[in-house]
Amino acid sequence: MNTILSYIREFFINVDKVLLYGCSLFAALLITINYCFGVETKWLYGAPTGWPRFGSFLLLYAIAFIIPWLLLMARHTKTGYPRMFWVLLFIAPAVFAMKVSFPGLSGWLVPALRAPWGKYYSVISSLPSRLVLVAIPLVFFYWWQRPQSSFWGLTTRNFEWKPYALMLLIMVPVIAFASTQRDFLVTYPKLQQVGFIAPYVRHSWPYKLLFEVSYGLDFVTIELFFRGFLVIAFVRYVGPDAIVPMAVFYCSIHFGKPLFECISSFFGGMLLGIVAYRTQSILGGFMVHVGIAWMMEIGGYIGHALKK
């Protein structure tokens, strides 16, 4: 744990303070606009599926990622950036917009399978199919860039599980408190998405467990893209300052979540980015991320049970 704390302390000592404060204020501005005007819930998910929704998310993510990068480049007096940098900069928001706007396999599964199984398997397959969707361009960029490292941090090298277990332990009282809040219980547990299957099966727990495994795979996508690709691919151009724009982008994908979760995602994303940069591994971030997600599932389940 002391090693991780030293990583974090060193980062905040050396980071460009104008960049850090400027991006923090920019993230706060985006959060304020979203929660005052319902940007994600009303405008983005209100857009028709397909290209209009993809374009809406692309605009949000491009603003959240490219504007912080423009500030970063203004602070770095580097004379120029290679073509690869510009490709990655503009393609990155498109990759995640594609992931978020992808309708999944429901168009094939719902008509092909008898109710309720078409709906159930479309929910179960949604997040794994999006992992594949994001992984395809990341494989291409990895082959193109050929970094001297593992596949965007997907390695056990330099991974020690004990500090991350301690982080999860620290989060228990925070999640316990959140589980008493109304906006948290509106969102969690995500398991509610497959609650409709219970009347059709003798034992519903295997089907719910399969959902939780599918839900956990989404955090492979998140860590691979944000802490792997957006950190490891970009730090080669400007060093660890690249973590700050990633954190703003990461915050923007939480606009549909409870306000406290959205705000904390900016700082949490930055901390996980620091660790990924120093260890060149995303496994610690994945362990923390999926652990918190499953604890929030448990907290939401208990919170609803106590309300009855």
Side-chain angles (χ1 to χ4, degrees):
M1 190 66 182
N2 288 335
T3 302
I4 291 178
L5 291 175
S6 70
Y7 293 160
I8 295 169
R9 182 166 55 249
E10 182 180 341
F11 173 81
F12 283 107
I13 290 173
N14 296 320
V15 70
D16 185 312
K17 300 304 187 296
V18 173
L19 173 70
L20 179 63
Y21 299 147
C23 286
S24 299
L25 289 174
F26 183 62
L29 175 63
L30 292 179
I31 291 171
T32 301
I33 292 172
N34 176 71
Y35 285 90
C36 286
F37 300 100
V39 172
E40 178 163 300
T41 54
K42 296 179 182 177
W43 296 2
L44 302 184
Y45 279 110
T49 56
W51 289 109
R53 183 170 296 180
F54 168 78
S56 299
F57 277 101
L58 174 59
L59 178 61
L60 170 64
Y61 296 153
I63 290 171
F65 187 56
I66 294 175
I67 289 179
W69 259 101
L70 292 177
L71 175 60
L72 190 157
M73 287 186 284
R75 297 291 299 168
H76 281 253
T77 56
K78 192 172 181 177
T79 55
Y81 293 84
R83 181 179 63 178
M84 170 64 82
F85 166 79
W86 295 105
V87 171
L88 297 179
L89 181 66
F90 286 99
I91 290 295
V95 170
F96 208 80
M98 178 177 63
K99 184 259 187 191
V100 174
S101 58
F102 180 59
L105 305 179
S106 58
W108 295 282
L109 291 174
V110 172
L113 299 175
R114 183 182 303 174
W117 299 108
K119 181 180 178 182
Y120 174 77
Y121 285 113
S122 67
V123 173
I124 293 301
S125 64
S126 176
L127 296 178
S129 64
R130 294 180 185 194
L131 170 57
V132 174
L133 193 67
V134 170
I136 291 172
L138 295 193
V139 169
F140 174 74
F141 292 138
Y142 182 79
W143 171 81
W144 191 7
Q145 195 175 35
R146 299 185 186 277
Q148 300 298 315
S149 63
S150 61
F151 178 65
W152 305 129
L154 203 59
T155 178
T156 58
R157 184 180 300 174
N158 299 321
F159 173 66
E160 294 287 343
W161 64 270
K162 291 182 181 178
Y164 304 104
L166 180 58
M167 290 181 191
L168 290 175
L169 189 63
I170 292 171
M171 288 301 298
V172 170
V174 178
I175 293 173
F177 170 75
S179 301
T180 65
Q181 304 303 300
R182 181 178 179 181
D183 60 344
F184 180 91
L185 294 177
V186 169
T187 305
Y188 296 100
K190 299 285 188 179
L191 186 62
Q192 297 171 112
Q193 296 179 34
V194 294
F196 63 85
I197 202 69
Y200 298 92
V201 295
R202 184 175 180 181
H203 300 290
S204 63
W205 70 264
Y207 301 93
K208 293 178 179 179
L209 180 61
L210 183 58
F211 170 83
E212 293 294 352
V213 172
S214 171
Y215 180 46
L217 286 176
D218 192 43
F219 299 99
V220 177
T221 311
I222 297 296
E223 292 304 316
L224 191 63
F225 182 79
F226 284 95
R227 258 64 70 181
F229 177 56
L230 294 190
V231 171
I232 295 173
F234 284 88
V235 294
R236 66 187 301 177
Y237 302 111
V238 296
D241 282 350
I243 294 169
V244 182
M246 177 278 294
V248 181
F249 187 176
Y250 182 63
C251 177
S252 73
I253 75 168
H254 290 78
F255 281 177
K257 301 292 181 68
L259 177 60
F260 176 76
E261 183 179 348
C262 181
I263 295 171
S264 63
S265 70
F266 174 72
F267 301 101
M270 194 177 304
L271 296 181
L272 292 177
I274 294 167
V275 175
Y277 164 67
R278 292 300 301 267
T279 63
Q280 294 292 291
S281 173
I282 65 170
L283 291 188
F286 171 71
M287 178 179 170
V288 171
H289 210 160
V290 76
I292 290 174
W294 282 339
M295 286 196 297
M296 291 168 75
E297 286 289 283
I298 295 171
Y301 185 84
I302 294 173
H304 281 283
L306 293 176
K307 286 179 62 178
K308 293 180 181 179

